[in-house]
Each structure stands twice: as structure tokens, then as C-alpha cells.
Coordinates of all heavy atoms in Angstrom, one line a residue:
M293 N -11.3 24.8 7.2 CA -10.3 23.7 7.2 C -11.0 22.3 7.1 O -12.0 22.1 7.7 CB -9.6 23.7 8.6 CG -8.5 22.7 8.7 SD -7.8 22.8 10.3 CE -6.1 22.4 9.9
S294 N -10.6 21.5 6.2 CA -11.2 20.2 5.9 C -10.8 19.3 7.0 O -9.7 19.4 7.6 CB -10.8 19.7 4.6 OG -9.5 19.4 4.5
S295 N -11.7 18.3 7.3 CA -11.3 17.3 8.3 C -10.4 16.3 7.8 O -10.2 16.2 6.5 CB -12.6 16.7 8.8 OG -13.3 16.0 7.8
R296 N -9.7 15.6 8.6 CA -8.7 14.6 8.2 C -9.1 13.3 8.8 O -9.7 13.2 9.8 CB -7.3 15.1 8.7 CG -6.9 16.4 8.0 CD -5.5 16.8 8.3 NE -4.5 15.9 7.8 CZ -4.0 15.9 6.6 NH1 -4.4 16.8 5.7 NH2 -3.0 15.1 6.2
I297 N -8.6 12.3 8.1 CA -8.9 10.9 8.5 C -7.6 10.3 9.0 O -6.6 10.3 8.3 CB -9.5 10.1 7.3 CG1 -10.8 10.7 6.8 CG2 -9.7 8.6 7.7 CD1 -11.3 10.2 5.5
A298 N -7.6 9.8 10.2 CA -6.4 9.1 10.8 C -6.4 7.6 10.4 O -7.4 7.0 10.3 CB -6.4 9.3 12.3
I299 N -5.2 7.2 10.1 CA -5.0 5.7 9.9 C -3.9 5.2 10.8 O -3.0 5.9 11.1 CB -4.7 5.4 8.4 CG1 -3.5 6.2 7.9 CG2 -5.9 5.7 7.5 CD1 -3.1 5.8 6.5
A300 N -4.0 4.0 11.2 CA -3.0 3.4 12.1 C -3.0 1.9 11.9 O -3.9 1.3 11.2 CB -3.3 3.8 13.5
G301 N -2.1 1.2 12.6 CA -2.1 -0.2 12.6 C -2.0 -0.9 11.2 O -1.2 -0.5 10.4
K302 N -2.9 -1.9 11.0 CA -2.9 -2.6 9.7 C -3.2 -1.8 8.5 O -2.6 -1.9 7.5 CB -3.8 -3.8 9.8 CG -3.4 -4.9 10.7 CD -4.2 -6.2 10.5 CE -3.7 -7.3 11.4 NZ -2.5 -7.9 11.0
Q303 N -4.1 -0.8 8.7 CA -4.4 0.1 7.6 C -3.1 0.9 7.2 O -2.9 1.1 6.0 CB -5.5 1.1 8.0 CG -6.9 0.7 7.8 CD -7.8 1.8 8.1 OE1 -7.6 2.6 9.0 NE2 -8.8 1.9 7.3
L304 N -2.4 1.4 8.1 CA -1.2 2.2 7.9 C -0.2 1.2 7.2 O 0.5 1.6 6.2 CB -0.6 2.8 9.1 CG 0.6 3.6 9.0 CD1 0.4 4.7 7.9 CD2 1.1 4.2 10.3
A305 N 0.0 0.0 7.7 CA 0.9 -0.9 7.1 C 0.6 -1.2 5.6 O 1.4 -1.3 4.8 CB 1.0 -2.2 7.9
I306 N -0.7 -1.3 5.3 CA -1.2 -1.5 3.9 C -0.8 -0.3 3.0 O -0.3 -0.5 1.9 CB -2.7 -1.8 3.9 CG1 -3.0 -3.2 4.5 CG2 -3.2 -1.7 2.4 CD1 -4.4 -3.4 4.7
V307 N -0.9 0.9 3.5 CA -0.6 2.1 2.8 C 1.0 2.1 2.5 O 1.4 2.3 1.4 CB -1.0 3.4 3.5 CG1 -0.4 4.6 2.8 CG2 -2.5 3.4 3.5
I308 N 1.7 1.8 3.6 CA 3.2 1.8 3.4 C 3.6 0.7 2.4 O 4.5 0.9 1.6 CB 3.9 1.6 4.8 CG1 3.6 2.8 5.7 CG2 5.4 1.4 4.6 CD1 3.9 2.6 7.2
R309 N 3.0 -0.4 2.5 CA 3.3 -1.5 1.6 C 3.0 -1.1 0.2 O 3.8 -1.5 -0.7 CB 2.5 -2.8 2.0 CG 3.1 -4.0 1.5 CD 2.4 -5.3 2.0 NE 2.0 -5.2 3.4 CZ 0.8 -5.5 3.9 NH1 -0.1 -6.1 3.1 NH2 0.5 -5.4 5.2
G310 N 2.0 -0.4 0.0 CA 1.6 0.1 -1.4 C 2.7 1.0 -1.9 O 3.1 1.0 -3.1
W311 N 3.3 1.9 -1.0 CA 4.4 2.8 -1.4 C 5.6 2.0 -1.8 O 6.3 2.2 -2.7 CB 4.7 3.8 -0.4 CG 3.6 4.8 -0.1 CD1 2.7 5.2 -1.0 CD2 3.4 5.5 1.1 NE1 1.9 6.2 -0.4 CE2 2.3 6.4 0.9 CE3 4.0 5.5 2.3 CZ2 1.8 7.2 1.9 CZ3 3.6 6.3 3.3 CH2 2.5 7.2 3.1
L312 N 5.9 1.0 -0.9 CA 7.1 0.2 -1.1 C 7.0 -0.7 -2.3 O 8.0 -1.1 -2.9 CB 7.4 -0.7 0.1 CG 7.7 0.1 1.4 CD1 7.8 -0.9 2.6 CD2 9.0 0.8 1.3
R313 N 5.8 -1.0 -2.8 CA 5.6 -1.9 -4.0 C 6.3 -1.3 -5.2 O 6.8 -2.0 -6.1 CB 4.2 -2.1 -4.2 CG 3.9 -3.2 -5.2 CD 2.4 -3.5 -5.4 NE 1.8 -3.9 -4.1 CZ 0.7 -3.4 -3.7 NH1 0.0 -2.6 -4.4 NH2 0.2 -3.9 -2.5
S314 N 6.4 0.0 -5.2 CA 7.0 0.6 -6.4 C 8.6 0.7 -6.4 O 9.2 1.1 -7.3 CB 6.5 2.1 -6.6 OG 6.9 2.9 -5.5
T315 N 9.2 0.2 -5.3 CA 10.6 0.1 -5.2 C 11.2 -1.0 -6.0 O 10.5 -2.1 -6.1 CB 11.1 0.0 -3.8 OG1 10.6 -1.2 -3.2 CG2 10.7 1.2 -2.9
P316 N 12.3 -0.9 -6.6 CA 12.9 -2.0 -7.4 C 13.2 -3.2 -6.6 O 13.6 -3.1 -5.5 CB 14.2 -1.4 -8.0 CG 14.1 0.1 -7.8 CD 13.2 0.3 -6.6
D317 N 12.9 -4.4 -7.2 CA 13.2 -5.6 -6.5 C 14.6 -5.8 -6.1 O 14.9 -6.4 -5.1 CB 12.8 -6.8 -7.4 CG 11.3 -7.0 -7.6 OD1 10.6 -6.5 -6.7 OD2 10.8 -7.6 -8.6
R318 N 15.5 -5.3 -6.8 CA 17.0 -5.4 -6.5 C 17.3 -4.9 -5.2 O 18.3 -5.2 -4.6 CB 17.9 -4.8 -7.6 CG 17.7 -3.4 -7.8 CD 18.6 -2.8 -8.9 NE 18.2 -1.5 -9.4 CZ 18.4 -0.4 -8.7 NH1 19.1 -0.4 -7.6 NH2 18.0 0.8 -9.2
L319 N 16.5 -3.9 -4.6 CA 16.8 -3.4 -3.3 C 16.5 -4.3 -2.2 O 17.0 -4.1 -1.1 CB 16.0 -2.1 -3.1 CG 16.3 -0.9 -4.1 CD1 15.4 0.3 -3.8 CD2 17.7 -0.5 -3.9
W320 N 15.7 -5.3 -2.5 CA 15.2 -6.2 -1.4 C 16.0 -7.4 -1.2 O 15.9 -8.1 -0.1 CB 13.7 -6.5 -1.6 CG 12.9 -5.3 -1.6 CD1 12.5 -4.5 -2.7 CD2 12.5 -4.5 -0.5 NE1 11.8 -3.4 -2.3 CE2 11.8 -3.4 -0.9 CE3 12.7 -4.7 0.9 CZ2 11.3 -2.4 0.0 CZ3 12.1 -3.8 1.8 CH2 11.5 -2.6 1.3
G321 N 16.7 -7.9 -2.2 CA 17.5 -9.1 -2.0 C 16.7 -10.3 -1.9 O 15.5 -10.3 -2.2
T322 N 17.3 -11.4 -1.5 CA 16.5 -12.7 -1.4 C 16.9 -13.4 -0.1 O 17.9 -13.1 0.5 CB 16.9 -13.6 -2.6 OG1 18.3 -13.9 -2.6 CG2 16.4 -13.1 -3.9
D323 N 16.1 -14.3 0.3 CA 16.3 -15.1 1.5 C 17.0 -16.4 1.0 O 16.4 -17.2 0.3 CB 15.0 -15.4 2.2 CG 15.1 -16.3 3.4 OD1 16.3 -16.8 3.7 OD2 14.1 -16.5 4.1
P324 N 18.2 -16.6 1.4 CA 19.0 -17.8 0.9 C 18.3 -19.1 1.3 O 18.3 -20.0 0.4 CB 20.3 -17.7 1.6 CG 20.4 -16.4 2.2 CD 19.0 -15.8 2.3
N325 N 17.7 -19.2 2.4 CA 17.0 -20.5 2.8 C 15.9 -20.8 1.9 O 15.7 -21.9 1.5 CB 16.6 -20.4 4.3 CG 17.7 -20.4 5.2 OD1 18.8 -20.9 4.9 ND2 17.5 -19.7 6.4
Y326 N 15.1 -19.7 1.6 CA 13.9 -19.9 0.7 C 14.4 -20.2 -0.7 O 13.8 -21.1 -1.3 CB 13.0 -18.7 0.8 CG 11.8 -18.9 -0.1 CD1 10.7 -19.6 0.4 CD2 11.6 -18.3 -1.3 CE1 9.6 -19.9 -0.4 CE2 10.5 -18.5 -2.1 CZ 9.5 -19.3 -1.6 OH 8.4 -19.5 -2.4
E327 N 15.4 -19.5 -1.1 CA 15.9 -19.8 -2.5 C 16.4 -21.2 -2.6 O 16.2 -21.8 -3.7 CB 17.0 -18.8 -2.8 CG 16.6 -17.4 -3.0 CD 15.5 -17.2 -4.1 OE1 15.7 -17.8 -5.2 OE2 14.5 -16.6 -3.8
Q328 N 17.0 -21.8 -1.6 CA 17.5 -23.2 -1.6 C 16.3 -24.1 -1.7 O 16.3 -25.0 -2.5 CB 18.3 -23.5 -0.4 CG 18.9 -24.9 -0.4 CD 19.7 -25.1 0.9 OE1 19.6 -24.4 1.9 NE2 20.5 -26.2 0.8
L329 N 15.2 -23.9 -0.9 CA 14.0 -24.7 -1.0 C 13.4 -24.6 -2.4 O 12.9 -25.6 -3.0 CB 13.0 -24.3 0.1 CG 13.4 -24.6 1.5 CD1 12.4 -24.0 2.4 CD2 13.5 -26.1 1.7
K330 N 13.4 -23.4 -2.9 CA 12.8 -23.1 -4.3 C 13.6 -23.9 -5.3 O 13.0 -24.5 -6.2 CB 12.9 -21.6 -4.5 CG 12.1 -21.2 -5.7 CD 12.1 -19.7 -5.7 CE 11.5 -19.1 -7.0 NZ 11.6 -17.6 -7.0
A331 N 14.9 -23.9 -5.2 CA 15.8 -24.7 -6.2 C 15.5 -26.2 -6.1 O 15.5 -26.9 -7.1 CB 17.2 -24.4 -5.9
L332 N 15.2 -26.7 -4.9 CA 14.9 -28.1 -4.7 C 13.4 -28.4 -5.0 O 13.0 -29.5 -4.8 CB 15.2 -28.5 -3.3 CG 16.7 -28.4 -2.9 CD1 16.8 -28.6 -1.4 CD2 17.5 -29.4 -3.7
K333 N 12.6 -27.4 -5.4 CA 11.2 -27.5 -5.6 C 10.5 -28.0 -4.4 O 9.5 -28.8 -4.5 CB 10.9 -28.4 -6.8 CG 11.6 -27.9 -8.1 CD 10.8 -28.1 -9.3 CE 11.5 -27.7 -10.6 NZ 11.7 -26.3 -10.8
R334 N 10.9 -27.6 -3.2 CA 10.3 -27.9 -1.9 C 9.7 -26.7 -1.2 O 9.6 -26.7 0.0 CB 11.3 -28.7 -1.1 CG 11.8 -29.9 -1.7 CD 12.7 -30.7 -0.9 NE 11.9 -31.4 0.2 CZ 12.4 -32.0 1.2 NH1 13.7 -32.0 1.4 NH2 11.6 -32.6 2.1
H335 N 9.4 -25.7 -2.0 CA 8.9 -24.5 -1.4 C 7.4 -24.3 -1.5 O 6.8 -25.0 -2.3 CB 9.6 -23.3 -2.0 CG 9.2 -23.0 -3.4 ND1 9.4 -23.9 -4.5 CD2 8.4 -22.0 -3.9 CE1 8.9 -23.4 -5.6 NE2 8.3 -22.3 -5.3
D336 N 6.9 -23.5 -0.6 CA 5.4 -23.2 -0.7 C 5.4 -21.7 -1.0 O 5.7 -20.9 -0.2 CB 4.8 -23.5 0.7 CG 3.3 -23.2 0.7 OD1 2.8 -22.6 -0.3 OD2 2.7 -23.5 1.7
P337 N 4.9 -21.4 -2.2 CA 4.8 -20.0 -2.6 C 4.0 -19.1 -1.6 O 4.3 -17.9 -1.5 CB 4.1 -20.0 -4.0 CG 4.3 -21.4 -4.5 CD 4.4 -22.3 -3.3
M338 N 3.1 -19.7 -0.9 CA 2.3 -19.0 0.1 C 3.2 -18.6 1.3 O 2.8 -17.6 2.0 CB 1.1 -19.8 0.6 CG 0.1 -20.1 -0.6 SD -0.6 -18.6 -1.3 CE -1.5 -18.0 0.0
L339 N 4.3 -19.2 1.5 CA 5.2 -18.9 2.6 C 6.4 -18.2 2.2 O 7.4 -18.0 2.9 CB 5.6 -20.2 3.3 CG 4.5 -21.1 3.9 CD1 5.0 -22.4 4.5 CD2 3.7 -20.3 4.9
A340 N 6.4 -17.7 0.9 CA 7.5 -16.9 0.4 C 7.8 -15.7 1.3 O 6.8 -15.0 1.7 CB 7.3 -16.5 -1.0
P341 N 9.0 -15.3 1.6 CA 9.3 -14.1 2.3 C 8.8 -12.9 1.6 O 8.8 -12.8 0.4 CB 10.8 -14.1 2.4 CG 11.3 -15.4 2.0 CD 10.2 -16.0 1.2
D342 N 8.2 -11.9 2.4 CA 7.7 -10.7 1.8 C 8.3 -9.5 2.5 O 7.8 -9.0 3.5 CB 6.2 -10.6 1.9 CG 5.6 -9.4 1.2 OD1 6.4 -8.6 0.7 OD2 4.4 -9.4 1.1
P343 N 9.6 -9.1 2.1 CA 10.2 -8.1 2.9 C 9.5 -6.7 2.9 O 9.5 -6.0 3.9 CB 11.6 -7.9 2.2 CG 11.4 -8.5 0.8 CD 10.3 -9.5 1.0
R344 N 8.7 -6.4 1.9 CA 7.9 -5.2 1.8 C 6.9 -5.2 2.9 O 6.7 -4.2 3.6 CB 7.3 -5.0 0.5 CG 8.3 -4.6 -0.6 CD 7.6 -4.6 -2.0 NE 8.5 -4.2 -3.0 CZ 9.2 -5.0 -3.7 NH1 9.2 -6.3 -3.5 NH2 10.0 -4.6 -4.7
R345 N 6.2 -6.4 3.1 CA 5.2 -6.5 4.2 C 5.9 -6.4 5.6 O 5.4 -5.7 6.4 CB 4.5 -7.8 4.1 CG 3.5 -8.1 5.2 CD 2.9 -9.5 5.2 NE 2.2 -9.6 4.0 CZ 0.8 -9.5 3.9 NH1 0.2 -9.3 5.0 NH2 0.2 -9.7 2.8
E346 N 7.0 -7.0 5.7 CA 7.7 -7.0 7.0 C 8.1 -5.6 7.4 O 7.9 -5.2 8.5 CB 8.9 -7.9 7.0 CG 8.5 -9.4 6.9 CD 9.7 -10.3 6.8 OE1 10.8 -10.0 7.2 OE2 9.5 -11.4 6.2
I347 N 8.7 -4.8 6.5 CA 9.2 -3.5 6.8 C 8.0 -2.6 7.0 O 8.0 -1.7 7.8 CB 10.2 -3.0 5.7 CG1 10.9 -1.7 6.3 CG2 9.5 -2.6 4.4 CD1 11.8 -2.0 7.4
A348 N 6.9 -2.7 6.2 CA 5.7 -1.9 6.3 C 5.1 -2.1 7.7 O 4.7 -1.2 8.4 CB 4.7 -2.2 5.2
D349 N 5.0 -3.4 8.1 CA 4.5 -3.7 9.5 C 5.3 -3.1 10.6 O 4.8 -2.6 11.5 CB 4.3 -5.2 9.7 CG 3.2 -5.9 8.8 OD1 2.4 -5.1 8.3 OD2 3.3 -7.1 8.7
Y350 N 6.6 -3.2 10.4 CA 7.6 -2.6 11.3 C 7.4 -1.1 11.5 O 7.3 -0.6 12.6 CB 9.0 -3.0 11.0 CG 10.0 -2.3 11.9 CD1 10.3 -2.8 13.1 CD2 10.8 -1.2 11.4 CE1 11.2 -2.2 14.0 CE2 11.7 -0.6 12.2 CZ 11.9 -1.1 13.5 OH 12.8 -0.4 14.3
I351 N 7.4 -0.4 10.3 CA 7.2 1.0 10.3 C 5.9 1.4 11.0 O 5.9 2.3 11.8 CB 7.3 1.6 8.9 CG1 8.8 1.5 8.4 CG2 6.9 3.1 8.9 CD1 8.9 1.8 6.9
A352 N 4.8 0.8 10.6 CA 3.5 1.1 11.2 C 3.6 0.9 12.7 O 3.0 1.7 13.5 CB 2.5 0.2 10.6
S353 N 4.2 -0.2 13.2 CA 4.2 -0.5 14.6 C 5.1 0.6 15.4 O 4.7 1.0 16.5 CB 4.7 -1.9 14.9 OG 6.1 -2.0 14.6
R354 N 6.2 1.0 14.8 CA 7.0 2.0 15.4 C 6.2 3.3 15.5 O 6.3 4.0 16.5 CB 8.3 2.2 14.6 CG 9.2 1.0 14.7 CD 9.8 0.8 16.0 NE 10.6 2.0 16.4 CZ 10.8 2.4 17.6 NH1 10.3 1.8 18.6 NH2 11.5 3.5 17.9
L355 N 5.5 3.7 14.4 CA 4.7 4.9 14.5 C 3.7 4.9 15.6 O 3.4 5.8 16.3 CB 4.1 5.2 13.1 CG 5.1 5.6 12.0 CD1 4.3 5.7 10.7 CD2 5.8 6.9 12.3
D356 N 3.0 3.7 15.7 CA 2.1 3.5 16.8 C 2.8 3.6 18.2 O 2.2 4.3 19.1 CB 1.4 2.1 16.7 CG 0.3 2.1 15.7 OD1 -0.1 3.2 15.2 OD2 -0.1 1.0 15.3
E357 N 3.9 3.0 18.4 CA 4.7 3.1 19.6 C 5.0 4.5 20.0 O 5.0 4.9 21.1 CB 5.9 2.3 19.6 CG 5.7 0.8 19.6 CD 7.0 0.0 19.5 OE1 8.1 0.6 19.7 OE2 7.0 -1.2 19.1
L358 N 5.4 5.3 19.0 CA 5.8 6.7 19.2 C 4.6 7.6 19.3 O 4.7 8.8 19.5 CB 6.6 7.2 18.0 CG 8.0 6.5 17.8 CD1 8.6 6.9 16.5 CD2 8.9 6.9 19.0
E359 N 3.3 7.0 19.1 CA 2.1 7.8 19.2 C 2.0 8.9 18.2 O 1.5 10.0 18.5 CB 1.9 8.3 20.6 CG 1.7 7.2 21.6 CD 1.5 7.6 23.1 OE1 1.3 8.9 23.3 OE2 1.4 6.8 23.9
W360 N 2.6 8.6 17.0 CA 2.5 9.6 15.9 C 1.2 9.3 15.2 O 0.8 8.1 15.0 CB 3.6 9.4 14.9 CG 4.9 10.0 15.5 CD1 5.2 10.3 16.7 CD2 6.1 10.1 14.7 NE1 6.5 10.8 16.8 CE2 7.1 10.7 15.6 CE3 6.4 9.9 13.4 CZ2 8.4 11.0 15.1 CZ3 7.7 10.3 13.0 CH2 8.7 10.8 13.8
E361 N 0.5 10.3 14.8 CA -0.7 10.1 14.1 C -0.5 10.4 12.6 O 0.0 11.5 12.2 CB -1.8 11.1 14.6 CG -3.2 10.9 14.0 CD -4.2 11.7 14.6 OE1 -4.1 13.0 14.5 OE2 -5.1 11.2 15.3
V362 N -0.9 9.5 11.8 CA -0.8 9.7 10.3 C -2.2 10.0 9.8 O -3.1 9.2 10.1 CB -0.2 8.4 9.6 CG1 -0.2 8.6 8.1 CG2 1.2 8.2 10.2
T363 N -2.4 11.0 9.1 CA -3.7 11.4 8.6 C -3.6 11.8 7.1 O -2.6 12.0 6.6 CB -4.3 12.6 9.3 OG1 -3.5 13.8 9.1 CG2 -4.3 12.4 10.8
Y364 N -4.8 11.8 6.5 CA -4.9 12.3 5.1 C -6.2 13.1 5.0 O -7.1 12.9 5.8 CB -4.8 11.2 4.1 CG -6.0 10.2 4.1 CD1 -7.1 10.3 3.3 CD2 -5.9 9.1 5.0 CE1 -8.1 9.4 3.3 CE2 -6.9 8.2 5.0 CZ -8.0 8.3 4.2 OH -9.1 7.4 4.2
P365 N -6.3 14.0 4.1 CA -7.5 14.9 4.1 C -8.7 14.1 3.6 O -8.6 13.2 2.8 CB -7.1 15.9 3.0 CG -5.9 15.5 2.3 CD -5.3 14.4 3.2
E366 N -9.8 14.4 4.2 CA -11.0 13.8 3.8 C -11.3 14.2 2.4 O -11.2 15.3 2.0 CB -12.2 14.2 4.7 CG -13.4 13.5 4.5 CD -14.5 13.7 5.6 OE1 -14.1 13.8 6.8 OE2 -15.6 13.9 5.2
P367 N -11.7 13.2 1.5 CA -11.9 13.6 0.1 C -13.1 14.5 0.0 O -14.1 14.5 0.7 CB -12.2 12.2 -0.6 CG -12.3 11.2 0.5 CD -11.9 11.8 1.8
E368 N -12.9 15.4 -1.0 CA -14.0 16.3 -1.3 C -15.2 15.5 -1.9 O -14.9 14.6 -2.7 CB -13.5 17.4 -2.3 CG -12.4 18.3 -1.8 CD -12.9 19.3 -0.8 OE1 -14.1 19.7 -0.9 OE2 -12.1 19.6 0.1
P369 N -16.4 16.0 -1.7 CA -17.5 15.3 -2.3 C -17.4 15.4 -3.8 O -17.0 16.4 -4.4 CB -18.8 16.0 -1.8 CG -18.3 17.0 -0.8 CD -16.8 17.0 -0.8
Q370 N -17.8 14.3 -4.5 CA -17.7 14.4 -6.0 C -18.8 15.3 -6.5 O -19.9 15.3 -6.1 CB -17.8 13.0 -6.6 CG -16.6 12.1 -6.3 CD -16.7 10.8 -7.0 OE1 -17.8 10.4 -7.5 NE2 -15.6 10.0 -7.0
K371 N -18.4 16.0 -7.5 CA -19.3 16.9 -8.2 C -20.0 16.2 -9.3 O -19.4 15.3 -9.9 CB -18.6 18.2 -8.7 CG -18.0 19.0 -7.6 CD -17.2 20.1 -8.2 CE -16.5 20.9 -7.1 NZ -15.7 22.0 -7.5
S372 N -21.2 16.6 -9.7 CA -21.8 16.0 -10.8 C -21.1 16.4 -12.1 O -20.6 17.5 -12.2 CB -23.3 16.6 -10.9 OG -24.0 16.2 -9.8
P373 N -21.0 15.5 -13.0 CA -20.4 15.8 -14.3 C -21.2 16.9 -15.0 O -22.4 17.0 -14.9 CB -20.3 14.5 -15.0 CG -21.4 13.6 -14.4 CD -21.5 14.1 -13.0
P374 N -20.5 17.7 -15.8 CA -21.2 18.7 -16.6 C -22.2 18.0 -17.5 O -21.9 17.0 -18.1 CB -20.2 19.5 -17.3 CG -19.0 18.6 -17.3 CD -19.1 17.7 -16.1
S375 N -23.4 18.6 -17.7 CA -24.3 18.0 -18.6 C -24.0 18.5 -20.1 O -23.6 19.6 -20.3 CB -25.7 18.5 -18.3 OG -25.9 19.9 -18.3
Y376 N -24.0 17.6 -20.9 CA -23.8 17.8 -22.3 C -25.1 17.7 -23.1 O -25.8 16.8 -22.9 CB -22.7 16.8 -22.9 CG -21.4 16.9 -22.2 CD1 -21.0 16.1 -21.2 CD2 -20.5 18.0 -22.6 CE1 -19.8 16.2 -20.6 CE2 -19.3 18.1 -22.0 CZ -18.9 17.2 -21.0 OH -17.7 17.3 -20.4
R377 N -25.2 18.7 -24.0 CA -26.4 18.7 -24.8 C -26.2 17.8 -26.0 O -25.2 17.9 -26.7 CB -26.8 20.1 -25.3 CG -27.2 20.9 -24.1 CD -27.6 22.3 -24.6 NE -28.0 23.0 -23.4 CZ -28.8 24.1 -23.5 NH1 -29.3 24.5 -24.7 NH2 -29.2 24.7 -22.4
G378 N -27.1 16.9 -26.3 CA -27.0 16.0 -27.4 C -27.3 16.8 -28.7 O -27.8 17.9 -28.7
A379 N -27.0 16.1 -29.8 CA -27.2 16.7 -31.1 C -28.7 17.1 -31.3 O -29.1 18.0 -31.9 CB -26.7 15.8 -32.2
R380 N -29.6 16.2 -30.8 CA -31.0 16.4 -30.9 C -31.5 17.7 -30.3 O -32.3 18.4 -30.7 CB -31.8 15.3 -30.4 CG -31.7 14.1 -31.3 CD -32.6 13.0 -30.8 NE -31.7 12.0 -30.2 CZ -32.1 11.0 -29.4 NH1 -33.3 10.9 -29.0 NH2 -31.2 10.1 -29.0
E381 N -30.9 18.1 -29.1 CA -31.3 19.2 -28.4 C -30.8 20.5 -29.0 O -31.4 21.6 -28.8 CB -30.8 19.2 -26.9 CG -31.3 18.0 -26.1 CD -30.7 18.0 -24.7 OE1 -30.1 19.0 -24.3 OE2 -30.9 17.0 -24.1
Q382 N -29.8 20.5 -29.9 CA -29.3 21.7 -30.5 C -30.2 22.2 -31.6 O -30.1 23.3 -32.0 CB -27.9 21.4 -31.0 CG -26.9 21.2 -29.9 CD -25.5 20.9 -30.4 OE1 -25.3 20.8 -31.6 NE2 -24.6 20.8 -29.4
H383 N -31.0 21.3 -32.2 CA -31.8 21.7 -33.4 C -33.0 22.5 -32.9 O -33.8 22.4 -32.2 CB -32.3 20.5 -34.2 CG -31.1 19.9 -34.9 ND1 -29.8 20.0 -34.5 CD2 -31.1 19.2 -36.1 CE1 -29.1 19.4 -35.4 NE2 -29.8 18.9 -36.4

């Protein structure tokens, strides 16, 4: 049996956020207050709402509270690529 690597907290939130990144934008909606500031050109793009981050952080914290362990299999060691004989070696 291969060993497994546990992830939790911020690492888990980053993984969840990666999965959520592939969801369509239309599912997330917009923040009306931020959109109003954006229309007035008084917004700071660094402070833009990030619903994917918020839900990922929430899910990760709930899993921690429930003491659920999320793991993934330890990667297999990489094998050496097969050696190819060059044209010179074939003669």
C-alpha cells in the first residue's frame, strides 16, 4: 500500500480554489457594491471580491472543524526515460 500525503488548512483551500477555478463565472454572480465602485472608477482591483477564494476557505475550515482528513497518494518515483539509440550507434 502506498503512503498518502495529508493536506489541510491553507493548502487544502488552495486545492479547492483550483477546482473551483474551472467553474463558469456566471455561477458566481457579482458584488453590487464593488460593481458600483468599479463603474465610478473608484475601485481597487486588489480588493475585488473573490467568491472562489471565500468558498474554498470556508470548505477547508469546515473540513478542519469536522476533523476530516483529506489525503492524496504519494507520487510514484519518476522512472528514467527509455534510452534511444542514435543513428550513429546503429551503423
Side-chain angles (χ1 to χ4, degrees):
M293 180 182 215
S294 66
S295 60
R296 297 187 64 85
I297 300 170
I299 57 173
K302 288 196 180 284
Q303 274 187 318
L304 180 57
I306 290 169
V307 171
I308 294 168
R309 203 172 319 136
W311 292 335
L312 294 175
R313 192 175 300 135
S314 66
T315 58
D317 287 337
R318 63 183 163 75
L319 296 178
W320 297 100
T322 58
D323 178 355
N325 294 330
Y326 183 77
E327 291 302 314
Q328 184 179 17
L329 290 173
K330 194 172 168 183
L332 297 171
K333 305 217 182 291
R334 301 183 73 190
H335 71 291
D336 180 354
M338 297 300 292
L339 300 176
D342 186 355
R344 289 175 177 90
R345 175 185 298 260
E346 292 175 25
I347 195 67
D349 291 344
Y350 174 76
I351 292 169
S353 70
R354 291 294 296 150
L355 291 174
D356 282 345
E357 285 175 23
L358 295 169
E359 297 180 4
W360 286 13
E361 185 176 66
V362 178
T363 65
Y364 65 95
E366 189 169 318
E368 296 289 328
Q370 290 187 348
K371 298 177 182 175
S372 298
S375 60
Y376 296 100
R377 294 183 178 202
R380 285 184 253 164
E381 295 178 14
Q382 292 178 357
H383 287 30

